[in-house]
């Protein structure tokens, strides 16, 4: 079993490695956001040009206004392209991570249920918005300050000076938001896991009339999530207010300096003399210096959400041990249960000290009252039930040494899984590469008559109880494995249907080592050996 990340897990390297899947789209999105400084500068220059030429008539104003309008159009186009390209980058990363998480879930790796849904979706904002804006936040303010320095070096110095408390406020707000975001995502994971667990246990909850208690438990967990979410929002609002304050303060300082410089009212010797055009150009650029940082602050919660989800995703997609090949048997194997004990959690053991040897090609029927462990015995053989004591040996080798035994087992339960599609497609699930002739032969051997092209829904609509069992046996015929496991193959069938099904079972068990869990005396009568639990 794969270990979960340690409490000191650093999500940043994992996010950096996952981000490589964004490829050209991620780099292009960041470059497009940085290029926004070009239309921003052009817009400020166009307005300053129009204002300084106002006294020369309308004709002199038009070129500057045209430049400003063209800059606005270009800015909108760049923003649209950056958003679209960032979306492509995020989609590429999410697709790759989701594939690994789903593979991990199906492989039985430890992972929160929410990882494949909420966890993967938490990466969207990080790669679509935060990563492109982070690149711009590091470059764009410096580029704009350098452009402003051409018109007014002193105003550029004011902008640099006011950047320091702005960046410090972002760091403090980000640190506080990070801790709350992690706690909020943990609360969301707990709620998702609790809800899924209660849905799975719904029949037991109803049977024990525990609906009210379960509803209260879900409500308490939901309220905890609500409180965590409210704390995250509170920090986000406070941090936004602080950052907006410093941004407005910086623009105000530049405006006061430019206004007093134009009026020659500075309380200190003027380091430079500004005209109206230069003063307005610097004043129009001042908000643009802080715009990338405000966008970064607005997208910072996307990063925190991704960092909060990263540990769960890393645990879900952690590489398992290399897959072991299915064993090859020259003949039907001998199966030995050596003092086997099966226990679920802290409950009393279902089986304790169970001993059984199934010889090569033998058919053994396991009988006993409901709850005695018949199905658990079959499940343990394919790794679906915990063997807490003893060993299961197949041809003298333990299950953990033999490889993928499930790949060499044909299984037919009393309620075979049915997927949406035709009956033929459902039989072919046992062996995807099987030809039409092979599928039809397996269906015939199992006694499945009629149209194999009839469409079934996920509930098996259109199949009777007997036909569902024959579907499982048809898969067993098609798989042609040396081990056959049957779980109540004749349950709830009438006498005539049971006789017909027993004949099919005999044909399916021929030449295989077979274990049958059954209540039926008629099925037990055709077995080579009967074991009662």
């Amino acid at each position: 079993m794969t270990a979960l990340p340690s409490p000191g897990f650093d999500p940043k390297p994992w996010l950096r490695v996952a981000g490589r899947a964004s490829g050209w789209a991620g780099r292009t999105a960041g470059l497009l956001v940085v290029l926004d400084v070009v239309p921003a500068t052009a817009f400020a220059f166009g307005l300053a040009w129009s204002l300084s030429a106002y006294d020369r008539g309308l004709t002199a104003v038009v070129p500057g206004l045209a430049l400003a309008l063209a800059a606005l159009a270009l800015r909108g186009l760049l923003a649209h392209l950056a958003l679209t390209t960032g979306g492509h980058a995020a989609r590429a990363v999410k697709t790759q991570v989701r594939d690994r998480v789903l593979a991990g879930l199906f492989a039985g790796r430890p992972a929160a249920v929410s990882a494949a849904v909420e966890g993967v979706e938490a990466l969207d904002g990080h790669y679509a918005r935060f990563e492109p804006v982070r690149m711009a936040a590091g470059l764009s303010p410096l580029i704009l300050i350098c452009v402003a320095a051409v018109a007014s070096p002193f105003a550029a110095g004011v902008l640099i000076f006011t950047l320091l408390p702005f960046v410090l406020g972002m760091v403090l707000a980000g640190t506080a938001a990070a801790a709350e975001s992690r706690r909020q995502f943990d609360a969301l994971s707990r709620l998702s896991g609790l809800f899924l667990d209660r849905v799975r246990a719904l029949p037991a909850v109803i049977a024990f009339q525990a609906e009210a208690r379960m509803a209260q438990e879900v409500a308490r967990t939901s309220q905890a999530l609500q409180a965590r979410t409210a704390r995250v929002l509170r920090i986000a609002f406070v941090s936004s207010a602080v950052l907006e304050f410093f941004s407005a303060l910086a623009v105000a300082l530049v405006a006061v300096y430019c206004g007093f410089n134009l009026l020659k009212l500075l309380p200190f010797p003027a380091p430079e003399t500004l005209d109206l055009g230069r003063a307005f150009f610097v004043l129009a650029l001042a908000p643009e210096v802080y715009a990338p940082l405000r966008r970064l602050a607005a997208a910072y919660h996307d990063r925190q959400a991704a960092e909060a989800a990263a540990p769960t995703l890393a645990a879900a997609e952690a590489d398992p041990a290399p897959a072991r090949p299915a064993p090859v048997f020259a003949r039907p194997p001998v199966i030995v249960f050596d003092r086997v004990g099966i226990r679920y959690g802290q409950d009393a053991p279902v089986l304790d000290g169970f001993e059984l040897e199934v010889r090569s090609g033998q058919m053994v029927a396991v009988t006993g009252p409901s709850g005695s462990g018949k199905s658990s015995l079959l499940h343990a053989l394919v790794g679906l039930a915990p063997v807490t004591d003893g060993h299961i040996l197949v041809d003298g080798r333990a299950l953990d040494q033999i490889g993928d035994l499930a790949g060499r087992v044909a299984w037919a339960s009393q309620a075979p899984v049915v997927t949406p599609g035709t009956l033929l497609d459902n039989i072919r699930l046992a062996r995807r590469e099987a030809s039409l002739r092979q599928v039809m032969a397996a269906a015939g051997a199992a006694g499945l008559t009629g149209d194999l092209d009839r469409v079934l829904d996920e509930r098996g609509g259109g199949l009777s109880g007997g036909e569902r069992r024959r579907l499982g046996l048809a898969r067993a015929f098609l798989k042609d494995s040396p081990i056959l496991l049957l779980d109540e193959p004749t349950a709830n069938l009438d006498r005539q249907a049971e006789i017909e099904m027993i004949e099919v079972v005999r044909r399916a068990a021929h030449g295989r080592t077979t274990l049958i869990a059954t209540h039926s005396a008629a099925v037990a009568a055709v077995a080579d050996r009967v074991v009662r639990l």
Side-chain angles (χ1 to χ4, degrees), residues 84 101 207 320 494:
T84 303
V101 169
D494 58 43

Side-chain angles (χ1 to χ4, degrees), residues 114-137:
S114 58
V117 183
E118 291 93 344
V120 173
E121 287 304 318
L123 302 178
D124 185 84
H126 179 77
Y127 294 105
R129 294 182 292 274
F130 179 80
E131 285 295 337
V133 169
R134 181 169 65 171
M135 181 186 298

Side-chain angles (χ1 to χ4, degrees), residues 25 39 55 65 71 93 121 154 172 176 215 219 234 280 286 302 307 310 340 345 353 409-410 416 452 454 456 500:
D55 57 348
L65 289 178
V93 174
E121 287 304 318
F154 188 85
L172 293 177
R234 192 181 304 122
F280 193 84
D302 291 320
E307 289 186 350
V340 168
V409 172
L452 295 184
R454 53 178 156 162
L456 310 177
E500 295 174 358

Side-chain angles (χ1 to χ4, degrees), residues 4-15 182 307-315:
L4 291 169
S6 64
F9 175 80
D10 185 3
K12 294 181 179 63
W14 184 90
L15 290 172
R182 281 193 292 271
E307 289 186 350
T312 300
L313 292 171

Side-chain angles (χ1 to χ4, degrees), residues 3-4 28 40 101 144 153 164 167 171 204 210 216 233 249 296 305 370 387 397 400 438 441 446 454 461 493 528:
L4 291 169
T28 304
V101 169
L144 292 170
L164 298 177
V167 173
V171 171
Q216 292 173 358
L233 293 175
L249 179 63
L296 181 67
S370 298
V387 178
R397 292 181 291 172
D400 57 357
Q438 290 172 322
R454 53 178 156 162
L493 297 181
D528 300 319

